Each structure stands twice: as C-alpha cells, then as structure tokens.
Amino acid sequence: MKLNFSALVSLAFLSFVLAPSAVATNHHSFADIKLTPDVTSESTLRGELRVDAQELADILKVRPYVEMLRTARASGIGDGGTVMPRRLLNAKMLCLFKIVAAQQEVRKVVAIIDYDLAKSNIDLAQLSARRDRTSNMINTLNFMQGGTLGCTKQSLFLNGKFGASQYPLITSFSLGTVLSVINLLHPPLWHRTVDGPHNSLAYFLCDASPPDAANSYLWQFFNSPVPGAKYTFSRREILKRHWHDFARVSLADSHRHRVLAAYPEGSEHMSENIALLSQRIELLNDLRTHVEEFDASLYELHKAIGAN
C-alpha cells in the first residue's frame, strides 16, 4: 500500500500533539477532584446507607443512632402516623442537633472565606487602579510627544528645512518606543506589603490550625482520607495537589505558600503583586466550593434519618 506525503505529515503531527497531552493527563491527575466518596447505583437501590453519609455519621459520632433509626424505619416504626418510642425520638433529636451544628460550622467557614475574598478583591482593585493610572499617563504622554514633535517636524518641512525636519521625527519615534517598553514592563512591578491576619489558605498550605480544630467536624473531615479512594492521604493533601495541577502552585515552594496565605514566618517581610492576589482569589474560590461539599454529605445523612 502506498501512503501519500500529506497523510504521513498529518500522522506525524497528530502523534506530536497527542503524545504530550496524554502525558499531561497522566501528570495532572488532581486537576479535577471531589472530596466525597463515590456512590454506586447498586448500593442505593439496595437501600444501603450511602458511603458519604456513613462517613459523616462517624465524624459526628452518631452512627449507632443512625442505624437504630434506619432499622426502625425498615420495621415500619414511626410510619403511618404511629408514635415513635421515646428512645428513637431522643436518637433522632441528637442526630438532627449534630447535623445542624455541622451545617452552621460550614456556614461560618464559608463566611470567613468570603471575608478573605472581599479583602483580596479590594487589595487587587487598589493595585490594578494604580497600574491603570500609570498606563493611562504613559499613553497620554506618548500621544502628546507624538503630536508636539509631529507639528514641529511638519513646520520645518513646510519651511524647506528637509534635513532638519527629520530630527523631530526620529526623536518622536524613539520616545514612542521607550514609552511603549515602559508601559509593557511596569505592570508586574506594582506590589504592596502583606498586611492583616492570615487567610483561610493558611490552614491548607501552611502548618496553621483553626482555633477550634479539636472540636471541628469540618477540620476532621479535611484531615481524613476519602473513603474508598485509590490514595490514602488526607483531603488537605488532595487539595494541595489539586492546586498544584489546577493553579500551578508548587508543592515545594513554602515561601509562595506563606505569601498566598498571608502567613509570615517570624519577622519575615512579604509583599504581594497583582498576579499573586489573582491567584489567591482563585484558590479561595476553589476552597469555598470544596468546603461546601460537606453540605452534600450532611444532606444525605439527614435524608437517611428524616423519613421516619
């Protein structure tokens, strides 16, 4: 069989393009993650307690009460308007109390993240405004010098001074080039000193712990591995790997972690620029979505005890 030249070129091009993408897919295995365990449709059809609800029942320390309520429901107790025994009512009240407490903890953490996002957006807006004012000033100067030197050149030209008229033109072109280069180089130079307390990223990128870590359901959730997952490290470690693949935050760059979290070491002086603030906002938004995954598991646990 004879292959034409264009077919060979197309095949070589596809091999070149697809090979790196396959490697990238392999490497960026944490680019898209979820922090709740997978649930099979077969287990749901069998009426089993979902894996994510089981994990939350263990974290909230209500697993025996959940099983008691599910067994009672399977036996028909509490259905059809019948009165539930006092021990079942007490078990249900305890489960609901802990579910509501965990929900309120999620709302508190989300509110803290929202505050961090608001502060980061304000800091970013201030730096962006300073950058934009400078760019506008440089552009204005560029137009002014072009107009002024252009008028001077034409005046000399109309008076018959053809050689002398070229000097303002050369000067204008040179100034235009210099100002354009300055306009290109100055945006990354704008920065500000990191101020204020650390943000929520410190609990995931650095060694900080929340003040209520010992009694926090959410903190226990993030310090636990995902049940049934192929990796055994905690959700905090999964998030760090996710941010490495998703937002290009190096796992080994501890200084970058501290700046992103506004968490200096001792008397360390830290500054932040527009790129870093943009990356911090990106990470905080991503963290918010993964914190709220806890709500989905709480909902499944609530459904498991709420029918009777």
Side-chain angles (χ1 to χ4, degrees):
M1 182 186 297
K2 188 176 179 182
L3 292 175
N4 60 34
F5 180 73
S6 61
L8 287 172
V9 170
S10 301
L11 186 61
F13 177 75
L14 285 173
S15 301
F16 177 77
V17 170
L18 294 179
S21 66
V23 174
T25 304
N26 238 1
H27 176 69
H28 298 302
S29 56
F30 291 93
D32 186 17
I33 62 166
K34 70 185 190 74
L35 300 181
T36 52
D38 294 325
V39 178
T40 61
S41 56
E42 293 80 7
S43 64
T44 305
L45 290 174
R46 289 196 298 267
E48 298 175 357
L49 185 62
R50 287 172 51 121
V51 184
D52 49 353
Q54 290 179 29
E55 183 189 16
L56 264 291
D58 290 333
I59 289 175
L60 301 182
K61 296 181 172 57
V62 293
R63 182 71 174 272
Y65 305 110
V66 172
E67 296 297 344
M68 182 193 307
L69 290 167
R70 284 173 53 79
T71 302
R73 184 180 63 184
S75 304
I77 300 174
D79 289 337
T82 57
V83 178
M84 292 179 67
R86 188 177 183 84
R87 63 185 182 85
L88 291 179
L89 284 173
N90 289 340
K92 188 170 185 178
M93 287 298 296
L94 176 63
C95 292
L96 291 175
F97 172 79
K98 292 208 169 188
I99 289 173
V100 170
Q103 288 173 334
Q104 293 303 311
E105 186 180 350
V106 173
R107 301 279 68 77
K108 180 191 76 171
V109 172
V110 167
I112 293 171
I113 295 173
D114 284 341
Y115 170 81
D116 295 335
L117 276 168
K119 184 180 184 307
S120 298
N121 277 304
I122 291 170
D123 295 340
L124 177 62
Q126 289 175 346
L127 280 184
S128 298
R130 289 161 62 186
R131 176 201 62 189
D132 294 343
R133 281 197 301 270
T134 304
S135 291
N136 291 338
M137 182 184 67
I138 292 172
N139 289 331
T140 302
L141 288 173
N142 206 353
F143 280 111
M144 286 175 63
Q145 67 85 19
T148 303
L149 292 174
C151 289
T152 305
K153 181 260 180 192
Q154 284 300 105
S155 176
L156 292 171
F157 183 81
L158 291 174
N159 284 293
K161 300 177 181 178
F162 304 113
S165 68
Q166 299 306 307
Y167 293 111
L169 188 64
I170 294 170
T171 305
S172 176
F173 288 163
S174 301
L175 285 174
T177 302
V178 171
L179 289 172
S180 298
V181 170
I182 294 173
N183 210 11
L184 184 67
L185 296 178
H186 83 86
L189 301 179
W190 290 105
H191 66 278
R192 63 186 299 278
T193 301
V194 175
D195 58 356
H198 62 262
N199 58 58
S200 305
L201 297 177
Y203 305 132
F204 298 88
L205 291 175
C206 307
D207 295 328
S209 297
D212 59 347
N215 303 310
S216 170
Y217 298 131
L218 194 58
W219 191 240
Q220 188 177 342
F221 175 78
F222 276 107
N223 278 329
S224 304
V226 179
K230 58 185 177 183
Y231 27 77
T232 57
F233 37 81
S234 69
R235 290 178 172 91
R236 286 178 65 202
E237 291 298 322
I238 293 173
L239 268 179
K240 289 173 73 172
R241 285 165 169 78
H242 171 58
W243 291 336
H244 172 267
D245 293 346
F246 163 69
R248 303 295 185 271
V249 179
S250 172
L251 293 173
D253 193 349
S254 58
H255 175 72
R256 182 77 171 184
H257 295 177
R258 291 196 302 275
V259 179
L260 283 167
Y263 192 68
E265 214 173 54
S267 58
E268 181 181 22
H269 173 76
M270 297 190 304
S271 61
E272 54 197 10
N273 56 21
I274 292 173
L276 187 132
L277 283 165
S278 300
Q279 189 176 50
R280 179 186 295 160
I281 290 169
E282 183 180 28
L283 296 185
L284 285 169
N285 276 310
D286 187 69
L287 175 61
R288 189 183 195 276
T289 62
H290 291 300
V291 166
E292 290 181 331
E293 287 188 60
F294 195 74
D295 271 340
S297 299
L298 285 172
Y299 170 69
E300 294 300 331
L301 180 60
H302 184 270
K303 280 201 309 184
I305 66 167
N308 50 0

